[in-house]
Amino acid sequence: MARRLPLLWLCLSLLIAPASAQQPVAVDPSAAPALPAQPRPRVALVLSGGGARGFAHVGVLKALEAARVPVDLIVGTSMGAIVGGLYASGMSADELEREILAVDWNGLFSTRQPRQMLSQRRKEEDFELSPVLLLGFRDGEFRLPTGAVSSRSLEMLLRRYTLPTRHLPSFDGLPTRFRAVATDMETGQAVVMDRGDLAAALRASMSVPGVFSPLEINGRILGDGGLVNNLPVNVARELGAEVIIAVNIGTPLAKRDTLDSLLGITTQMVNILTEQNVQASIATLTPRDLLLTPPLGKLTSADFAQAPELVRLGNTYARTVGNSLARFTVPAAQYQAWTQARTTQAELNASRVGKIASIRFEGVNERRAERLAVGLDKLEGERADITRIEDSLQHLAASGDYERIDYRLVRDPDSGGEDLVVGLRDNNWGPNYLRVGLDLRTDFRGEGAFNLRLSHNRHWLTDSGTEWRNRIQLGETLGLFSEIYQPLGLAGSTFASAYADLTVRKVDLYDEATRPLVRIRRETIRAGADLGWPIGLRGAIGELRVGVVASSRRSQLELVQPGFNLNTGVLDVHWSEVGVRSAVITDQLDYANFPSRGYRALGEVVVGQREVRGGERDSFARIEGSFTGVKSFGQHTFNVGARLAHANRIPVGAIDEYSLGGFQNLSGFRTGQVVGSYLVFGRLTYYRKFDWDPGFARAMFVGGSIEAGNAWLDRKDISLGNLLAGSSLFIGADTGLGPLYLSVVSAPRGYTGLYLFLGRP
């Protein structure tokens, strides 16, 4: 779930392990070649860092273009380096604005890929438990996930825009000469980058410690340049600039009322240090130079969602100082020639993209690389298509196994083609992933449940992709589960799975007045093996399984309501089953909780032989299907659900095989109250997302549902005329602990009351 970053962006006291990168070269700016003579003063544009506030730079660039101000050199730090570097690579201010506004910035920093890209195995984890705590286990110790946010999508974005520049010997070959400033995190020195991988240089300049992992370049660990030189005027001077337009959009110092906490003091301390180096740079400006300080109000370095407003504020301010910009203006013909020269150079750079000659991986061994190459191999021999490359790498990133995924194209001097080099770094906190979750529900009338859930996933148990999953559940239901999953063949087009589980749960049987009459203890031991086929690249659409399954089940009577006459022998049974199973599932919901679009469908058929201990042996068949479809219209979402199920010859003690009751599963009836061997259920849910960000959750919602369904023991009893109805009105939130609902539930033949639900059913 994407998180807002107003505090993380400034928490510079934390440092994350560095990532390796292609080699932008740090140089002494005084050693750079001199600029050629020209009839007008050389103008340098110096752009400061400031996180999301750096979007104001785009507005300033639009004003410079409108005023016909040519720029000979751009020097930037952090977000100033990103905006300046993209502009220097040949993008116009309008193109920059269009691309920036098209980016989902909150999603860009998410640690997880869009849910639709996850494999079906990863998607199913969303429905197994909602984690209270995430941990990793590596080298004999427990580890927390590294990094406050992910920079993977940002790196791909920068790579896409700067790819045509990769063959240039230095940043002097860009349509506009450029330098990026970073900080050596070991020595504290400023590092000026003038060549190499432009995307890596921009990313390094914006490596805010504690937010983005620093990059290792030429043996130096580089962090955000704003720590030591947030407004690098001196770099522009040393490169021969005669006049400077400096744009400072740094975060102003906080007021007294924010200095009453450790975090507030730490944030202010960092701001003071940054502001000191900014003021030192401003002090070197001369009357010939121009300092622009767009008033951005209370917008912070984390307000990425406010990109349109920040661009507008920067542009409005720069246009109000038109008289100051006028002294840099050149005649229209001269400006047109400058613009054309930039365009020509950008087109020349872009034309150098060739065909992909080979694909290789860095950071993993050869056997794993062969398996990971599946999906990428179709790119060989084709002209480098950035969209296809990114799509393939996003599916690879969706595995969640890699802390960093980047790529670069390297010119093959022999063939003239491009070598696609994919750089990977394993998660520092894997490959053992531990999650602790919980769920609870109550109707505020004495009925409720609480469960604690723990899961363990061991990824890449072998280099062939073996995965081991384990789950434990404690509480109302006791559960143990273990599965070994093995991809078959390099293509990963099939897989084998072997699993076993144990569940112990209580089952209540009710009368028509929703009173429990009987409580049964049900124990199930099950084991099975499947052969499966992923649907879509790496199983992103779903999967199909066929296999065998065997189980042993026992139901024992525990409680009987006083005065209720019952032949207890019929509820104390022990039976076993052996059968074959076929199942298919597809899931394209954008969120597991409160989805806004997509669908999820599941179908399963099991047939086999059943033997009741002390009784007869007979065949059985079970079939079940469910569907969820979601469509949104602005903030309004409609969620349609349906479920059909049938089982023949169910033993008496297993009558809860198919049941209804509970929140949005026939609201207003007790969980498991409606049972039978034939089941029909339908639900229509509406919810509206609140416009404000609650902070503790992805979003909050208000809505309601209407439901209808029933379960029958005998086929002759089935009638749409005796469907049961239920409904709910709720306030909900998609929290880190799972979906949270506070609801009023009601059913004409059930009850009306409050219901609280958190976690997974």
Side-chain angles (χ1 to χ4, degrees), residues 103 112 174 182 380 406 484 525 548 625 637 669 681 683 702 711 721 737:
V103 172
R112 190 175 187 180
L174 295 171
E380 287 192 42
D406 195 12
I484 290 289
I525 300 176
V548 296
T637 300
F669 289 87
F681 175 73
R683 182 197 69 247
V702 61
L737 304 180

Side-chain angles (χ1 to χ4, degrees), residues 175-371:
T176 298
R177 202 180 187 204
F178 174 72
R179 298 293 185 270
V181 178
T183 300
D184 187 318
M185 300 304 293
E186 292 182 296
T187 67
Q189 296 177 343
V191 178
V192 180
M193 290 170 284
D194 80 331
R195 69 190 64 202
D197 188 334
L198 179 58
L202 303 183
R203 164 65 175 80
S205 182
M206 197 177 170
S207 297
V208 180
V211 180
F212 295 135
S213 301
L215 293 186
E216 182 178 338
I217 297 174
N218 290 342
R220 307 174 82 170
I221 300 175
L222 301 184
D224 193 281
L227 297 174
V228 292
N229 197 353
N230 202 44
L231 190 66
V233 172
N234 65 311
V235 176
R237 293 263 193 242
E238 292 166 353
L239 289 170
E242 297 173 90
V243 291
I244 289 174
I245 301 174
V247 187
N248 179 31
I249 45 82
T251 303
L253 297 181
K255 302 299 181 182
R256 179 190 294 262
D257 58 0
T258 67
L259 306 180
D260 56 356
S261 67
L262 177 61
L263 182 59
I265 292 293
T266 302
T267 300
Q268 185 77 331
M269 177 183 68
V270 173
N271 286 344
I272 290 172
L273 293 174
T274 302
E275 184 64 17
Q276 285 178 344
N277 74 61
V278 168
Q279 291 303 319
S281 294
I282 291 175
T284 66
L285 295 175
T286 70
R288 297 186 64 194
D289 304 320
L290 177 63
L291 175 65
L292 302 179
T293 56
L296 305 180
K298 295 183 179 180
L299 293 174
T300 72
S301 60
D303 284 326
F304 288 94
Q306 299 298 319
E309 178 64 8
L310 287 160
V311 172
R312 186 191 67 81
L313 289 173
N315 183 249
T316 300
Y317 167 77
R319 287 180 179 274
T320 63
V321 295
N323 290 336
S324 298
L325 293 177
R327 56 194 167 100
F328 304 103
T329 298
V330 298
Q334 187 176 350
Y335 187 77
Q336 177 61 32
W338 176 83
T339 301
Q340 185 58 49
R342 275 175 41 88
T343 302
T344 300
Q345 183 61 49
E347 292 174 348
L348 177 61
N349 293 339
S351 67
R352 296 172 178 171
V353 178
K355 292 183 178 181
I356 295 179
S358 68
I359 300 173
R360 67 176 188 269
F361 286 80
E362 295 178 345
V364 294
N365 62 40
E366 183 176 348
R367 188 175 181 189
R368 189 187 295 192
E370 288 178 340
R371 181 168 297 279

Side-chain angles (χ1 to χ4, degrees), residues 498-513:
Y499 58 88
D501 64 18
L502 164 69
T503 59
V504 179
R505 59 191 297 253
K506 305 296 177 66
V507 178
D508 291 335
L509 302 182
Y510 295 83
D511 63 12
E512 293 184 357

Side-chain angles (χ1 to χ4, degrees), residues 44 53 160 177 208 213 252 267 335 339 384-385 441 495 548 562 587 655 678 703:
R53 290 166 65 94
R160 183 192 317 155
R177 202 180 187 204
V208 180
S213 301
T267 300
Y335 187 77
T339 301
D385 185 323
R441 55 182 170 85
F495 63 85
V548 296
D587 186 339
I655 202 168
Y678 296 87

Side-chain angles (χ1 to χ4, degrees), residues 403-631:
E403 192 171 273
R404 185 168 184 268
I405 296 179
D406 195 12
Y407 74 94
R408 65 184 189 273
L409 291 175
V410 179
R411 178 64 59 85
D412 185 333
D414 297 327
S415 67
E418 308 278 359
D419 291 333
L420 175 59
V421 182
V422 180
L424 302 173
R425 189 179 68 183
D426 286 334
N427 285 334
N428 189 48
W429 60 293
N432 292 282
Y433 301 98
L434 307 173
R435 301 195 301 169
V436 180
L438 59 84
D439 60 76
L440 61 88
R441 55 182 170 85
T442 179
D443 62 0
F444 299 98
R445 300 173 64 178
E447 294 291 333
F450 176 85
N451 290 292
L452 177 67
R453 305 187 184 190
L454 302 94
S455 77
H456 163 257
N457 275 19
R458 172 58 162 95
H459 295 188
W460 292 100
L461 189 62
T462 67
D463 286 330
S464 62
T466 308
E467 184 176 325
W468 184 28
R469 295 199 303 168
N470 301 282
R471 292 198 307 273
I472 300 175
Q473 179 170 319
L474 304 171
E476 178 199 35
T477 299
L478 171 66
L480 300 173
F481 173 84
S482 185
E483 179 194 30
I484 290 289
Y485 175 93
Q486 177 63 60
L488 302 176
L490 286 178
S493 56
T494 57
F495 63 85
S497 167
Y499 58 88
D501 64 18
L502 164 69
T503 59
V504 179
R505 59 191 297 253
K506 305 296 177 66
V507 178
D508 291 335
L509 302 182
Y510 295 83
D511 63 12
E512 293 184 357
T514 72
R515 294 177 304 179
L517 298 177
V518 177
R519 171 163 292 178
I520 302 168
R521 172 187 171 92
R522 178 176 171 182
E523 302 172 0
T524 302
I525 300 176
R526 184 181 62 150
D530 290 334
L531 184 66
W533 295 264
I535 303 173
L537 182 60
R538 305 185 192 278
I541 296 178
E543 65 180 30
L544 170 67
R545 292 184 178 223
V546 295
V548 296
V549 60
S551 64
S552 175
R553 307 187 184 191
R554 183 173 183 178
S555 290
Q556 293 179 295
L557 181 65
E558 287 199 343
L559 294 173
V560 178
Q561 184 74 18
F564 178 63
N565 295 321
L566 177 68
N567 178 4
T568 57
V570 301
L571 290 179
D572 193 347
V573 294
H574 189 178
W575 71 97
S576 60
E577 296 177 348
V578 177
V580 294
R581 168 180 175 267
S582 176
V584 61
I585 184 171
T586 178
D587 186 339
Q588 290 295 288
L589 297 176
D590 58 348
Y591 295 100
N593 311 320
F594 301 97
S596 61
R597 67 180 184 276
Y599 62 89
R600 174 181 168 89
L602 168 67
E604 182 180 49
V605 177
V606 184
V607 296
Q609 292 288 317
R610 177 187 293 121
E611 181 178 359
V612 179
R613 182 166 297 182
E616 62 182 23
R617 184 172 183 175
D618 204 349
S619 62
F620 74 92
R622 291 195 297 271
I623 181 170
E624 182 176 5
S626 62
F627 175 80
T628 299
V630 186
K631 179 72 173 178

